[in-house]
Amino acid sequence: MADQTTIVVATNNQGKLKEFALLLPSFHIISQSSLGIIPEEELGETFFENSLQKARVASTASGMLSLGDDSGLIVPALNNLPGLRSARYAHENATDEENRQHLKKELEKLELNQAKAYFVSVLVLMQAPADPFPLFATGLLEGFVKTTMQGDNGFGYDPMFYPKDSNVSLGEIGPDEKALLSHRGKAIQILTRKIESFTSE
Ligand code: IMP
């Protein structure tokens, strides 16, 4: 690989960055914003397209090993929203708190205080902008979203997401525990195995 020690993560989301630094301890993780890279508007209709676009933008601008993560929360009872719009569910520049309150309101409109939901993460690792074989990995975490919010760990929808068979929300567990079970943690495990088999060929 061009640069095995540093990975540019194509995000400005501090919550995601902290998780990647924890999940990829053998790499030096830097954010695209630290290199002055401006993200492009997400045009894809799937998490796959958006993740590839993010990785390509970061790779083109940096010339370095670049990782795209497109992730989100899917609630089937809400027609799969927030989905691709997870980061801007309440409005274009919404904060995590505004997005959570919007989701709470949408659930309440349906007179639900909880609904099945799942988090997804699609990762794309590109060695160079013209890399013909980017590495892909996906992860999924099933559970429920509830209108009762608990804990302030993590980021995004964590305080209202309760993994299947768990009484506590992602906002109530620590970063190491979240890393073991989360959509991002699972995707990273797959990606790491792919990197290892790629570099040992
Ligand atoms: P992206 O940066 O376009 O991939 O948007 C991801 C959005 O999905 C975040 O801003 C959060 O709202 C939500 N999200 C993704 N992963 C998580 C997670 O692990 N916990 C909580 N919210 C998440």
Side-chain angles (χ1 to χ4, degrees), residues 132-168:
F133 188 59
L135 300 184
F136 274 83
T138 65
L140 193 135
L141 174 62
E142 288 181 276
F144 296 87
V145 279
K146 297 190 184 180
T147 51
T148 332
M149 302 189 202
Q150 305 274 15
D152 48 20
N153 290 338
F155 68 99
Y157 300 93
D158 281 348
M160 58 196 306
F161 187 90
Y162 296 72
K164 207 161 96 180
D165 305 323
S166 167
N167 296 325
V168 294

Side-chain angles (χ1 to χ4, degrees), residues 41-113:
E41 188 190 348
E42 291 174 26
L43 299 172
E45 290 177 21
T46 63
F47 292 99
F48 286 86
E49 290 162 287
N50 285 341
S51 189
L52 179 60
Q53 182 195 342
K54 287 180 188 184
R56 190 176 278 133
V57 168
S59 176
T60 304
S62 69
M64 296 163 74
L65 192 58
S66 296
L67 179 68
D69 165 81
D70 203 46
S71 49
L73 176 68
I74 296 176
V75 183
L78 296 174
N79 284 328
N80 296 332
L81 289 171
L84 288 176
R85 296 199 51 80
S86 292
R88 33 183 212 286
Y89 190 36
H91 60 85
E92 210 45 44
N93 301 308
T95 63
D96 285 348
E97 176 62 20
E98 286 172 324
N99 285 329
R100 287 193 293 268
Q101 291 303 330
H102 188 65
L103 177 55
K104 183 172 187 282
K105 248 190 278 160
E106 293 300 308
L107 291 168
E108 284 168 351
K109 272 191 209 164
L110 298 180
E111 299 186 357
L112 295 172
N113 52 26

Side-chain angles (χ1 to χ4, degrees), residues 9 16 20 23-24 47-48 50-52 55 66-71 120-126 134-139 183-192 194-195:
V9 181
K16 279 190 190 180
F20 281 121
L23 291 164
L24 290 165
F47 292 99
F48 286 86
N50 285 341
S51 189
L52 179 60
S66 296
L67 179 68
D69 165 81
D70 203 46
S71 49
V120 297
S121 163
V122 176
L123 302 178
V124 176
L125 187 70
M126 293 191 86
L135 300 184
F136 274 83
T138 65
H183 46 307
R184 196 164 293 102
K186 290 177 190 162
I188 281 288
Q189 282 176 28
I190 295 168
L191 189 73
T192 305
K194 288 191 178 184
I195 294 171

